[in-house]
Amino acid sequence: MTSVPTPIPSRTQYVQEEIKHRILTGQLRPGQALVETDLAAQFGVSKTPVREALKTLAGTGLVVMNQYKGVTVRMVDADMAREVYDVRLLLEPEALRRTVRRSASLDVASEALQRAATATDTAQRSLANREFHRALYVPCGNPLLGKMLDEVRDQAALVSAVAWAADPSWEREAAEHQEILELALAGDAQGASRALRNHIASFVQRAFPEISEALEEMGEQDS
């Protein structure tokens, strides 16, 4: 049997993923300038793939392109956090509820939780936590719902990176993740959904207390 060669990522895709990784793991801080010539030298490429990568990242909300100030990592403020976490609170618990009701496999979520527990640095733990949350909503049975959550996923991770840098809360969140997974594996769709919503809301309350009350009011109006 002839083996199929593994596709080689384009230079643009490679640069894009590397910059995103550095942003989401805190190596590149909010407000930090992203200079095309410097990045091109670091990655050993021309400025063209760097420019294209930055345009894509601007589209996902991770970087900001300004005609006068150039390109910078997006700043995290209360308004951004409110927008992102409002979407998560509205959609993510419902997606998990549907995942559990479909009896979808949660093996990927279990594996991500194990990687987070054995992570040796903040970057590994952060990426594993992101994969855990995604593994809960992707099998919900509605690809559009999953896509909508994917669209805010990077911005949510940026908010988390900033919050964790100021006040690490890994152990508490790990315990909450375990509770969510156990409820989901037990087939308790409502309980898992409620635990996930409480998990997201408690994170916002700790990291951005000034917006948590507003988000709770929105939730009460929608219920």
Side-chain angles (χ1 to χ4, degrees), residues 72 116 194:
T72 57
R194 183 167 53 251

Side-chain angles (χ1 to χ4, degrees), residues 53-175:
L54 292 175
K55 287 180 181 177
T56 300
L57 291 171
T60 66
L62 283 183
V63 307
V64 177
M65 306 186 83
N66 184 287
Q67 181 178 356
Y68 304 103
K69 297 181 180 179
V71 184
T72 57
V73 179
R74 182 173 181 177
M75 293 292 295
V76 173
D77 56 23
D79 287 339
M80 175 197 176
R82 180 172 57 247
E83 292 172 4
V84 171
Y85 276 82
D86 185 28
V87 172
R88 289 192 67 191
L89 285 167
L90 287 170
L91 300 183
E92 202 168 325
E94 173 60 20
L96 174 58
R97 187 182 70 84
R98 296 185 180 200
T99 293
V100 177
R101 291 187 65 181
R102 295 178 70 237
S103 298
S105 172
L106 292 170
D107 289 348
V108 175
S110 297
E111 292 167 3
L113 205 57
Q114 292 173 10
R115 289 200 306 276
T118 58
T120 57
D121 59 37
T122 300
Q124 291 180 4
R125 190 179 295 113
S126 175
L127 294 173
N129 281 344
R130 293 180 69 223
E131 288 305 316
F132 171 75
H133 276 274
R134 189 172 192 271
L136 297 179
Y137 67 71
V138 165
C140 70
N142 185 330
L144 180 57
L145 178 54
K147 182 180 180 182
M148 292 170 70
L149 283 164
D150 271 348
E151 288 178 353
V152 299
R153 182 168 174 250
D154 287 346
Q155 295 179 56
L158 178 58
V159 174
S160 297
V162 171
W164 286 328
D167 181 22
S169 53
W170 299 110
E171 291 186 2
R172 174 172 177 171
E173 289 170 41

